Amino acid sequence: MAEPTMRAVVMAEPGPPEVLRIEARPRPIPGPHEVRVRVAASGLNRADLLQRRGRYPAPPGVPADILGLEYSGVVDAVGERVGQWSPGDRVMGLVGGGGYAEAVVVHEDEVLPIPDVVETVDGAALPEAFLTAWDAMDLQMGLAAGETVLIHAVGSGVGTAAVQLASLTGARVLGTSRTPEKLRRATDLGLDEAIPGGGAAWAEVVMERTGGRGVDVIVDLVGG
Ligand SMILES: NC(=O)c1ccc[n+]([C@@H]2O[C@H](COP(=O)([O-])OP(=O)(O)OC[C@H]3O[C@@H](n4cnc5c(N)ncnc54)[C@H](OP(=O)(O)O)[C@@H]3O)[C@@H](O)[C@H]2O)c1
């Protein structure tokens, strides 16, 4: 009997988007503690673009030719020792690679449930950007209502998540960007004070807009 296959977006060599091809690959089979997820969507972050250009190699043990670091979908098979997930569960998560495929196999402890209020496809946009922002501001810094946070590169992927979470927390949100359009979009997402970045003047602007007090938390997302 022919081996079951799936379609995957495969990168033959690093380069521009044109290096990507859809090819058939063996459909992965979950091990005893793994689940297989039928992928609904794969998130696209700066890290994906760096990986496609060959500037962010896949970690050992991960297929280097199938990109994709973030997925959402529905569990369609579970290993014999898996107790916490069942076929049909809506899940999301991060992987070292392989997300641009019809199926991924993941350890059962590395899978997250998609909240009821979130569409399955939208779940693929949560783990990388929103959990990174939440980890930085909430877990690491304990940002609280009434505090002030400064987000550098507020128009970045993680920044656009951070501004929404900080705004929902009840914090006053200041953000920098070199790009006026990104500041406009961040303002739509909850940014209170848009500060043109890229030079040294932002520090003076921050002091001026906080009456000389400064901020409680800084999240620096300049990168790429
Ligand atoms: N788990 C983690 O720890 C984790 C996960 C994800 C990302 N990250 C890190 O978080 C950062 C943001 O990631 P991302 O995926 O959201 O990136 P992104 O969408 O590519 O955004 C990066 C931003 O950096 C700004 N930037 C780049 N060069 C700059 C320069 N020379 N001066 C000032 N601003 C500059 C750009 O903003 P403007 O054009 O508006 O200036 C750009 O929008 C990166 O450093 C990334 O490595 C960490």
Side-chain angles (χ1 to χ4, degrees):
M1 201 169 74
E3 189 179 28
T5 60
M6 65 174 182
R7 288 176 300 166
V9 177
V10 171
M11 177 182 77
E13 58 187 2
E18 290 73 22
V19 301
L20 300 175
R21 301 266 183 279
I22 294 179
E23 291 184 2
R25 288 295 162 97
R27 194 170 187 78
I29 297 166
H33 280 289
E34 292 177 328
V35 303
R36 186 174 67 206
V37 180
R38 191 172 71 246
V39 174
S42 186
L44 183 65
N45 297 284
R46 172 69 61 178
D48 293 81
L49 307 184
L50 293 174
Q51 213 162 46
R52 198 200 63 230
R53 292 183 194 130
R55 289 169 49 197
Y56 184 31
V62 171
D65 58 344
I66 306 178
L67 304 180
L69 302 165
E70 187 175 38
Y71 68 88
S72 65
V74 177
V75 173
D76 78 347
V78 297
E80 66 217 30
R81 317 265 321 247
V82 171
Q84 50 184 323
W85 304 105
S86 305
D89 288 344
R90 301 188 314 126
V91 295
M92 60 188 183
L94 297 174
V95 281
Y100 294 2
E102 288 182 306
V104 288
V105 158
V106 194
H107 191 281
E108 61 174 324
D109 292 342
E110 295 177 354
V111 176
L112 290 165
I114 298 178
D116 288 344
V117 295
V118 176
E119 297 285 340
T120 305
V121 165
D122 294 344
L126 294 185
E128 183 77 26
F130 279 84
L131 291 189
T132 300
W134 176 70
D135 175 57
M137 290 189 306
D138 289 65
L139 293 188
Q140 310 291 329
M141 298 305 297
L143 180 68
E147 291 190 327
T148 303
V149 57
L150 170 65
I151 304 170
H152 281 303
V154 71
S156 63
V158 181
T160 53
V163 69
Q164 293 174 74
L165 294 176
S167 181
L168 284 170
T169 299
R172 182 175 177 221
V173 192
L174 284 61
T176 66
S177 172
R178 298 171 301 179
T179 315
E181 177 57 23
K182 289 184 187 176
L183 286 175
R184 271 194 294 276
R185 294 192 62 190
T187 301
D188 290 344
L189 295 174
L191 183 66
D192 296 303
E193 299 283 347
I195 302 171
W202 63 264
E204 287 166 28
V205 179
V206 167
M207 294 310 277
E208 177 196 304
R209 297 203 191 166
T210 58
R213 179 182 173 274
V215 301
D216 300 290
V217 172
I218 298 177
V219 185
D220 186 352
L221 298 166
V222 171

